[in-house]
Amino acid sequence: MQQVAIGTAYGTQNLITQAVDIPSPGPGQVLVKMKAAALNYRDWEVVNGQYHEDFPAGLVPLSDGAGEVVEVGPGVTRVGNGDQIVGSFWQGWQSGELADSPGAQSLGGPLPGCLSEYQVMPANGVVSMPQGLSFSQAATLPCAGVTAWQALVTKGNIQSGDWVLVQGTGGVSMFAQQLALMHGAQVITLSSSDAKLKLAKEQGARHTVNYQTHPQWAEQVIELTGGRKVDHIVEVGGPNTLSQSLACIAPGGQINIVGYLGGKDGSVNPLQILQAHATLRGIAVGPVSSLQALCNAIHANHLAPVIDREFHWQQYQQAFAYMAAGKHVGKVVLTF
Ligand SMILES: NC(=O)c1ccc[n+]([C@@H]2O[C@H](COP(=O)([O-])OP(=O)(O)OC[C@H]3O[C@@H](n4cnc5c(N)ncnc54)[C@H](OP(=O)(O)O)[C@@H]3O)[C@@H](O)[C@H]2O)c1
């Protein structure tokens, strides 16, 4: 079989394709024939040596993949040959808090990732794909989908009628918009592009704001909510956006710190947090139980993840370049 790995230097152009033996599943493991893998911003950081943790040459990147079980190891009963599964971003974090699962590790660094024709995973780290979803759609769920679910549902306890602010139209943000709408919430979506905002509105956003033409976008958000402000924010901008988020969070509202696209430095005014009685919460994707809950909700609500473009897995260079250019709405997927 073939797989792609980090070479002797970082950079997508330095990734290497290597032929290796198909692995055998050990006790409690399954062998998966990969059918689709999704790209995340994190994967781009990992292969370019810009993630907050360095991974060595030989690491197979990509945390997210879906495929078919072709062999099960000794002792595996809950998954069988032919099952269509999606792997959890975190392996070893089944439920509850990450801190209570000290051995947990994520796919695509440090564990081998999904840019591989076959992959061995623990049986308790995979979940059956929602019926009706394609492999490509299922592959989008583990990182972006679970992150949005963990922020708004598992932790955020989102309620019908809540106001939700979504920053951007990338993978996490489009899932956040879709899941907020699924829960009867009202969504305001930000983007740098009016064309993308038109798409977000067609997908159900109640209001949209261009954050480039309105750098002080909190003013628009306050006005659009009639002065009420928003109950939940999925923060991907980091220092560039946090002060605006704090200016438009409703009393008692929740800001989920998910990304830091604007950089890793910055200052926060604690008075803004105190005055808003706001909760700021770091999100690190979520456990297997959140992936399972997301899959159940997707099945029950016939939700179709937003895929911008699919590439054949051997076109991974073009796919990474396409994602890095930031022209996508939703997810970029590789098919096998
Ligand atoms: N903590 C976690 O668990 C977790 C999980 C997943 C992702 N993340 C992080 O979350 C971020 C987004 O990930 P992703 O996979 O969704 O990336 P993505 O698909 O590449 O989407 C990024 C989008 O963010 C928007 N954006 C960039 N700067 C912005 C700003 N200043 N204000 C508002 N929106 C802005 C842009 O939207 P427009 O093009 O519409 O302007 C861009 O397309 C990354 O930093 C990633 O590392 C964290």
Side-chain angles (χ1 to χ4, degrees), residues 40-42 45 143-144 147 167-173 190-193 196 211 236-237 240-241 257-261 283-285 323 326 328 330-331:
N40 288 285
Y41 188 77
R42 169 187 187 263
E45 291 182 304
C143 182
T147 297
Q167 296 179 347
T169 55
V172 173
S173 305
L190 307 179
S191 176
S192 55
S193 150
K196 290 182 175 183
Y211 65 80
V236 300
N240 281 0
T241 53
I257 309 294
V258 165
Y260 42 85
L261 291 164
I283 293 289
V285 195
M323 192 188 72
H328 60 289
K331 297 296 299 177

Side-chain angles (χ1 to χ4, degrees), residues 174 177 296-297:
M174 290 311 288
Q177 173 171 316
N296 296 347

Side-chain angles (χ1 to χ4, degrees), residues 185-197:
Q186 311 176 78
V187 178
I188 300 176
T189 300
L190 307 179
S191 176
S192 55
S193 150
D194 288 339
K196 290 182 175 183
L197 288 176

